[in-house]
Each structure stands twice: as structure tokens, then as C-alpha cells.
């Protein structure tokens, strides 16, 4: 897949639906982040390409159809980054060698994937829930594979640096109400 850019890349913009340290378990458990109005930056945060339309066009032209999405609330394009919570890796013996079956094929086991990095603007590790609208830099890599079902490409979330945090407000449900307050209705 010659159109996969090797190495680590960076995008900056406002984030939505960030699940960085704890995977989103709505469907298959994944760490994820959705970036609105992405601009391409280098590892120092310096802007390489500040035109979101050309960023989207580049990914679309290279076949990243599952990574360029439409925000359901606003209808605008966004980039979707994810990392699976569970992955298959070759099983190892005590010496660190891959274990093979009787036919010489590697035996795989499902293990927890590494958690993406979450850093503050000064590059210090943080343990927070990142709210929608936070300004971030996403660290990612591109991947691609082919099988009998077609060609698949995606953006693997490696880390997230929070530049300007919007606090995450978890829906806490109903507040406590006294019977006297209810009877007034």
C-alpha cells in the first residue's frame, strides 16, 4: 500500500468524543478521538498545512473512507482516530520467541493493547477526561491492509496532547428533590 505514509504524524484542532485513557465500549472497545477542523502540524506543533479542506481531500483521495466522517450534530467533516482495546499478538515462549503450531504457523492470543499517551500542553502525563471542544494535538500513524473483503485503511491513535482543556461534564442524572418541592407542581 504505497499511499500509506510511514511514521508518526500530528494533527491539531478541537476534539469531540475523546476516549483516551478509558476505551469507549459502545460497540467494540476502542480508544478514540474525533477531530474537527484539523490542521497538520509537526511534532513541535508548528503548522504544516492549515487548510482543513485539503487535509480531508488528501485522506479521501488516498482511500481513508472510514477515517473521514461527518459530525452527526453539525454535518461538518471530521477525522476519526482509534486504537483497538484488544489485539491479537503472537504467543511467546519464556525466551521471547513466537510459539508455533504443528504446521509451523504462529499461535496468536488476544491481549490488551497499550493505552494511548495523554499529555498536557507542557508534555506532562495527565489523567483526565477530555471534554468536547478541547483544543488538542493528536499523534497518530496510518495503517492499511487488504483481504478478501477489500482494502482497509485507518488512523491509529497513539496519543493526545491537550492544549486548551474544556472540562468534561458527565451527565449525573436528576438532582435530589424534596417531596415538598414536587407537591408545589
Amino acid at each position: 500500500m504505497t499511499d500509506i505514509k510511514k511514521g508518526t504524524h500530528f494533527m491539531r484542532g478541537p476534539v469531540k468524543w475523546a476516549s483516551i485513557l478509558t476505551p469507549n465500549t459502545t460497540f467494540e472497545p476502542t480508544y478514540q478521538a474525533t477531530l474537527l477542523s484539523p490542521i497538520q502540524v509537526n511534532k513541535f506543533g508548528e503548522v504544516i498545512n492549515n487548510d482543513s479542506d485539503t487535509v480531508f481531500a488528501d485522506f479521501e483521495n488516498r482511500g481513508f473512507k472510514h477515517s473521514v466522517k461527518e459530525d452527526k450534530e453539525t454535518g461538518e467533516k471530521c477525522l476519526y482516530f482509534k486504537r483497538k482495546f484488544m489485539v491479537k499478538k503472537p504467543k511467546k515462549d519464556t525466551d521471547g520467541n513466537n510459539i508455533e503450531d504443528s504446521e509451523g504457523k504462529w499461535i496468536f492470543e488476544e491481549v490488551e493493547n497499550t493505552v494511548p499517551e495523554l499529555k498536557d500542553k507542557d508534555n506532562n502525563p495527565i489523567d483526565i477526561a477530555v471534554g468536547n471542544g478541547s483544543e488538542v494535538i493528536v499523534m497518530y500513524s496510518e495503517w492499511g491492509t487488504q483481504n478478501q473483503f477489500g482494502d482497509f485503511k485507518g488512523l491509529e491513535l497513539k496519543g493526545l496532547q491537550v492544549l486548551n482543556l474544556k472540562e468534561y461534564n458527565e451527565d449525573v442524572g436528576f438532582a435530589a428533590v424534596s417531596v415538598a418541592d414536587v407537591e408545589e407542581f
Side-chain angles (χ1 to χ4, degrees), residues 3 47 77 86 95 120 123 126 159-160 176:
D3 54 353
V47 175
K77 285 185 180 179
M86 299 296 290
D95 295 327
D120 66 12
N123 217 23
I126 52 177
L160 192 128

Side-chain angles (χ1 to χ4, degrees), residues 87 96 168 175:
V87 292
Y168 174 74

Side-chain angles (χ1 to χ4, degrees), residues 78-109:
C78 53
L79 284 180
Y80 178 66
F81 303 85
K82 75 176 190 173
R83 174 180 279 202
K84 290 183 177 183
F85 175 64
M86 299 296 290
V87 292
K88 289 184 181 180
K89 292 194 175 183
K91 197 171 188 175
K92 306 276 186 187
D93 63 18
T94 54
D95 295 327
N97 301 313
N98 295 337
I99 299 174
E100 298 177 350
D101 64 13
S102 59
E103 297 176 3
K105 295 181 181 178
W106 291 349
I107 298 174
F108 286 86
E109 63 182 340

Side-chain angles (χ1 to χ4, degrees), residues 97-138:
N97 301 313
N98 295 337
I99 299 174
E100 298 177 350
D101 64 13
S102 59
E103 297 176 3
K105 295 181 181 178
W106 291 349
I107 298 174
F108 286 86
E109 63 182 340
E110 201 166 61
V111 297
E112 286 186 16
N113 204 350
T114 55
V115 177
E117 295 180 47
L118 182 59
K119 307 269 181 133
D120 66 12
K121 65 181 178 180
D122 297 320
N123 217 23
N124 298 310
I126 52 177
D127 183 3
I128 57 168
V130 179
N132 291 347
S134 295
E135 183 74 19
V136 301
I137 295 177
V138 175

Side-chain angles (χ1 to χ4, degrees):
M1 304 210 136
T2 58
D3 54 353
I4 300 295
K5 294 180 181 175
K6 301 286 185 195
T8 301
H9 310 282
F10 302 87
M11 288 285 172
R12 180 179 177 164
V15 73
K16 277 182 107 171
W17 317 120
S19 298
I20 308 303
L21 300 179
T22 305
N24 179 328
T25 57
T26 304
F27 301 105
E28 177 186 8
T30 57
Y31 303 102
Q32 63 187 40
T34 301
L35 202 61
L36 304 169
S37 305
I39 60 173
Q40 188 178 12
V41 296
N42 63 20
K43 69 180 183 177
F44 304 108
E46 300 165 337
V47 175
I48 297 171
N49 180 357
N50 67 354
D51 183 11
S52 295
D53 290 335
T54 60
V55 170
F56 291 128
D58 175 57
F59 284 113
E60 288 173 325
N61 292 336
R62 293 189 298 124
F64 285 84
K65 59 185 174 190
H66 298 289
S67 298
V68 178
K69 298 189 175 233
E70 188 175 292
D71 185 283
K72 292 177 183 173
E73 294 173 351
T74 64
E76 61 185 307
K77 285 185 180 179
C78 53
L79 284 180
Y80 178 66
F81 303 85
K82 75 176 190 173
R83 174 180 279 202
K84 290 183 177 183
F85 175 64
M86 299 296 290
V87 292
K88 289 184 181 180
K89 292 194 175 183
K91 197 171 188 175
K92 306 276 186 187
D93 63 18
T94 54
D95 295 327
N97 301 313
N98 295 337
I99 299 174
E100 298 177 350
D101 64 13
S102 59
E103 297 176 3
K105 295 181 181 178
W106 291 349
I107 298 174
F108 286 86
E109 63 182 340
E110 201 166 61
V111 297
E112 286 186 16
N113 204 350
T114 55
V115 177
E117 295 180 47
L118 182 59
K119 307 269 181 133
D120 66 12
K121 65 181 178 180
D122 297 320
N123 217 23
N124 298 310
I126 52 177
D127 183 3
I128 57 168
V130 179
N132 291 347
S134 295
E135 183 74 19
V136 301
I137 295 177
V138 175
M139 180 173 57
Y140 69 97
S141 62
E142 298 180 7
W143 62 267
T145 189
Q146 293 177 316
N147 61 29
Q148 69 269 25
F149 303 109
D151 293 341
F152 300 92
K153 298 174 185 163
L155 305 175
E156 175 149 9
L157 176 65
K158 295 176 103 178
L160 192 128
Q161 183 179 29
V162 180
L163 304 175
N164 183 11
L165 178 67
K166 301 275 185 180
E167 288 192 40
Y168 174 74
N169 294 319
E170 185 174 352
D171 181 14
V172 292
F174 293 106
V177 178
S178 71
V179 175
D181 292 338
V182 173
E183 290 175 353
E184 288 179 9
F185 283 104

